[in-house]
C-alpha cells in the first residue's frame, strides 16, 4: 500500500503539471479536437483519482496490501473487539483524502447548481425578451441590434438564440455557419464538459494549470463546433462570421457566450481568454492543416484509456 500511495502521488504530480503543459503547447490538438478533448478529460479524471487515492492508500496501509483488503480490514478493526487506533500519519492521510474528495465534489456540485440557476433565470428572461424564429425550430430571436448568438442547453428543450442584429448583419451563408456552430454545442453537449473543467478551475483558482485546462478545453469545443459549421459552408465564411460576432459584441461589452448560457447583457469579464480562443479558431480556419491520422488518434485514445486505467488498477490490485 505504501508503494501504491507513492506511485499514485507521482502520477498525480505528473498529471497536475507537466502533462497539461505539454498538451496545451502541442500543435496536434487543433487537427483532432475531439481526440484531444478525450485526453484532457482522461488527465483530469486520472489526476483526481490519483490525488485522492495517494493519501487514501497511505492512511489505510496498516490494514492491508490493496485498497479493497485494507477497507475490509479497517471495517473489521472498527467492530467491537477490533483495533481502531491508527498512527497519526495514517489518520492525517485519511483526513486529507476525505478533505480533497469532499472539496472537489462540493465545487462540482456548487458549479452545477449555479449554472442551473443561471439557465433558469436566463430562460425566464428569454420568454420576455425574445420571440420564436419564424422558420427555425427551437430558436429564439432577441430584439437586440447587437450581433449575438449563443445556445441554452436544457435537455430536449435546448434553444439556440439569435439577435435581430446578427440576422441583419450576416450574410445567409454566415448565418448558416453560426447556427450550425451553436447547434453543435447543443448536440454534442459541450456544456457538460465545460462545467467539469470550470469546477476544477473554481476549486483551484490560484493554480495556473486549472485555468490553462479550462481555456484549452474551451478552445477545443469551439473548434469542434467550427467543424460542424465547416461542413455546411467554407472556412472563410465561418471565420468571417466568428470575427463579426466577436468584434461587435466586444464593442458593446457583450460576447458570444455559446454554451455558457449567460444573459445577453452580461458584461464580458473573460475578454483575454476569449481573445485567445478566437485567435486559435481564426488561425486554424485561415491555415487549415490535414486532420490527424487514424493511427495517431488511436494512440492518443489508448493513452487516455491507460491514464484512467492505471490509477484504477493500482487502487484495486496489490503491487
Amino acid at each position: 500500500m505504501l508503494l501504491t500511495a507513492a506511485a499514485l502521488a507521482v502520477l498525480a504530480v505528473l498529471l497536475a503539471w507537466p502533462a497539461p503543459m505539454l498538451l496545451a503547447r502541442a500543435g496536434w490538438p487543433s487537427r483532432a479536437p475531439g481526440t484531444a478533448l478525450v485526453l484532457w478529460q482522461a488527465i483530469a479524471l486520472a489526476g483526481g483519482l490519483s490525488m485522492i487515492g495517494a493519501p487514501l492508500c497511505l492512511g489505510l496501509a496498516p490494514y492491508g496490501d490493496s485498497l479493497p483488503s485494507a477497507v475490509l480490514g479497517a471495517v473489521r478493526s472498527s467492530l467491537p473487539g477490533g483495533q481502531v487506533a491508527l498512527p497519526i500519519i495514517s489518520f492525517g492521510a485519511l483526513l486529507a483524502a476525505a478533505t480533497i474528495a469532499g472539496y472537489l465534489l462540493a465545487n462540482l456540485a456548487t458549479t452545477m447548481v449555479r449554472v442551473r440557476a443561471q439557465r433558469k433565470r436566463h430562460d425566464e428572461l428569454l420568454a420576455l425578451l425574445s420571440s420564436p424564429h419564424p422558420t427555425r425550430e427551437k430558436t429564439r430571436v432577441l430584439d437586440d441590434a447587437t450581433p449575438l448568438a449563443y445556445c441554452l442547453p436544457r435537455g430536449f428543450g435546448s434553444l439556440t438564440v439569435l439577435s435581430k442584429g446578427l440576422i441583419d448583419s450576416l450574410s445567409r451563408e454566415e448565418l448558416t455557419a453560426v447556427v450550425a456552430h451553436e447547434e453543435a454545442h447543443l448536440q454534442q453537449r459541450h456544456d457538460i464538459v465545460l462545467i467539469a473543467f470550470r469546477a476544477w478551475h473554481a476549486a483551484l483558482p490560484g493554480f495556473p494549470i486549472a485555468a490553462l485546462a479550462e481555456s484549452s478545453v474551451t478552445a477545443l469545443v469551439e473548434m469542434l463546433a467550427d467543424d460542424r459549421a465547416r461542413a455546411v459552408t467554407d472556412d472563410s465564411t465561418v471565420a468571417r462570421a466568428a470575427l463579426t460576432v466577436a468584434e461587435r459584441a466586444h464593442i458593446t461589452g457583450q460576447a458570444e457566450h455559446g454554451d455558457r448560457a449567460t444573459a445577453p447583457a452580461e458584461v464580458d469579464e473573460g475578454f483575454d481568454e476569449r481573445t485567445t480562443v478566437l485567435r486559435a479558431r481564426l488561425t486554424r480556419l485561415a491555415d487549415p492543416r490535414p486532420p490527424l491520422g487514424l493511427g495517431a488518434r488511436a494512440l492518443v485514445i489508448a493513452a487516455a484509456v491507460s491514464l484512467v486505467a492505471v490509477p484504477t488498477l493500482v487502487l484495486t490490485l496489490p503491487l
Side-chain angles (χ1 to χ4, degrees), residues 2-319:
L2 293 178
L3 289 175
T4 300
L8 289 173
V10 171
L11 183 60
V13 171
L14 291 176
L15 295 178
W17 192 272
M21 288 290 292
L22 290 173
L23 181 55
R25 293 175 178 175
W28 67 264
S30 63
R31 299 170 58 194
T35 304
L37 193 59
V38 171
L39 184 56
W40 268 112
Q41 293 175 85
I43 289 174
L45 180 57
L49 287 173
S50 302
M51 192 184 305
I52 297 168
L56 181 62
C57 289
L58 179 60
L60 293 175
Y63 294 114
D65 295 329
S66 67
L67 188 59
S69 64
V71 170
L72 290 176
V75 171
R76 293 192 189 101
S77 297
S78 65
L79 297 175
Q83 178 64 40
V84 297
L86 274 176
I88 186 65
I89 188 172
S90 297
F91 179 80
L94 289 175
L95 181 61
T99 301
I100 294 171
Y103 180 67
L104 293 177
L105 290 174
N107 270 277
L108 178 58
T110 300
T111 301
M112 292 174 65
V113 170
R114 183 167 59 247
V115 169
R116 184 179 179 84
Q118 289 174 345
R119 289 176 182 171
K120 183 178 180 181
R121 184 168 60 252
H122 192 175
D123 195 28
E124 294 171 351
L125 289 173
L126 279 178
L128 297 173
L129 303 176
S130 68
S131 57
H133 192 281
T135 58
R136 297 181 183 274
E137 294 184 357
K138 298 183 179 180
T139 303
R140 306 283 297 187
V141 178
L142 281 170
D143 187 10
D144 193 323
T146 303
L148 294 172
Y150 56 93
C151 55
L152 185 62
R154 54 180 191 179
F156 291 109
S158 297
L159 294 173
T160 297
V161 182
L162 310 173
S163 69
K164 287 186 177 180
L166 180 84
I167 296 173
D168 293 339
S169 62
L170 298 184
S171 68
R172 182 177 179 180
E173 291 76 15
E174 291 169 347
L175 183 60
T176 298
V178 169
V179 171
H181 179 102
E182 297 304 331
E183 288 179 347
H185 282 314
L186 293 174
Q187 294 168 3
Q188 298 174 18
R189 293 312 306 262
H190 294 159
D191 57 300
I192 296 176
V193 178
L194 288 172
I195 284 175
F197 282 90
R198 198 169 307 150
W200 184 18
H201 189 188
L204 304 168
F207 189 46
I209 297 301
L212 179 64
E214 184 183 358
S215 177
S216 298
V217 168
T218 299
L220 290 173
V221 299
E222 292 298 325
M223 291 177 185
L224 281 171
D226 282 342
D227 286 345
R228 176 66 64 86
R230 296 166 77 188
V232 298
T233 184
D234 58 88
D235 290 359
S236 60
T237 299
V238 177
R240 286 197 307 272
L243 188 59
T244 298
V245 173
E247 285 182 340
R248 298 190 184 182
H250 174 59
I251 291 173
T252 61
Q254 298 173 323
E256 176 199 15
H257 284 271
D259 54 292
R260 296 199 176 194
T262 49
E266 179 178 351
V267 175
D268 184 10
E269 298 178 350
F271 177 66
D272 291 339
E273 176 187 341
R274 293 185 181 284
T275 301
T276 301
V277 171
L278 179 63
R279 186 181 297 116
R281 292 172 61 193
L282 295 178
T283 299
R284 180 174 183 257
L285 292 168
D287 184 23
R289 301 172 61 190
L292 200 65
L294 182 61
R297 293 190 188 203
L299 286 176
V300 175
I301 296 297
V305 172
S306 299
L307 279 178
V308 178
V310 166
T312 303
L313 294 176
V314 167
L315 285 170
T316 56
L317 300 176
L319 292 177

